[in-house]
Amino acid sequence: MMPINKKADGWYWGSKGPFDTKQKAVQVGQAAHAAGAESIEIKEKKAGKLTFALDYHNTYSADPKFWNVFIELVRLRKDKLYCVTHHTGEKQNQDLLDSIGKVIGKENVIFTMGKAKMDFVKQMGINIDIWIDNNPIHIIENPEN
């Protein structure tokens, strides 16, 4: 595992950082190792090439702290991440924007208005490489009401 270091501007996991807390640096390191990275430097050769779609309901919302560490790894690699959701209710949409929208940026939250996710984002000109969804059938099919 790469060392955790304290510098004047914050905590670092190897050369990655700064992070506000030592715990955050440790979490990023643990997440990278859990994903199979021997070190983030090895993985950076492919960094910036992937686009992820993360579902909200029962995916991000199931464990926001876990997914926030994942989101930080995506940022470190300079990859792209969208939250793609079927949510259509005004209150649900605002709750979603107040949670993951604050983490990834509201401009990166896509509401499909109940449509199949893959076709919806393709029509927006977005190609997703990796989908993360607790109900993957909704990536290609409209959900039943």
Side-chain angles (χ1 to χ4, degrees):
M1 184 171 231
M2 293 178 60
I4 304 296
N5 296 306
K6 174 75 168 137
K7 296 183 181 178
D9 59 345
W11 290 92
Y12 284 77
W13 174 66
S15 64
K16 302 303 167 204
F19 301 102
D20 293 337
T21 65
K22 181 178 181 180
Q23 180 182 356
K24 182 71 170 183
V26 168
Q27 287 175 334
V28 169
Q30 289 171 336
H33 285 283
E38 291 186 29
S39 78
I40 199 101
E41 278 74 21
I42 293 170
K43 296 296 183 183
E44 282 183 341
K45 293 178 183 172
K46 296 179 183 175
K49 304 281 188 204
L50 296 174
T51 302
F52 294 87
L54 177 62
D55 177 50
Y56 180 78
H57 187 68
N58 291 328
T59 305
Y60 178 85
S61 67
D63 192 346
K65 288 181 181 178
F66 170 83
W67 289 111
N68 287 346
V69 172
F70 171 79
I71 290 166
E72 187 61 31
L73 286 172
V74 170
R75 283 189 182 130
L76 287 171
R77 289 175 40 89
K78 297 182 178 18
D79 290 322
K80 186 70 178 166
L81 181 128
Y82 295 94
C83 174
V84 182
T85 180
H86 289 122
H87 281 267
T88 57
E90 190 173 320
K91 167 121 175 60
Q92 286 180 324
N93 290 357
Q94 190 57 53
D95 290 347
L96 189 148
L97 290 172
D98 289 341
S99 62
I100 194 171
K102 288 185 177 179
V103 177
I104 67 170
K106 293 178 181 184
E107 68 279 3
N108 294 315
V109 176
I110 300 170
F111 299 98
T112 68
M113 280 83 66
K115 304 287 186 206
K117 295 175 180 182
M118 185 179 291
D119 287 341
F120 192 91
V121 298
K122 278 186 179 180
Q123 290 176 3
M124 296 176 67
I126 299 170
N127 292 311
I128 303 296
D129 298 303
I130 299 174
W131 292 88
I132 304 168
D133 200 307
N134 71 306
N135 203 348
I137 192 69
H138 295 161
I139 296 168
I140 57 172
E141 291 182 8
N142 293 344
E144 294 181 21
N145 294 329

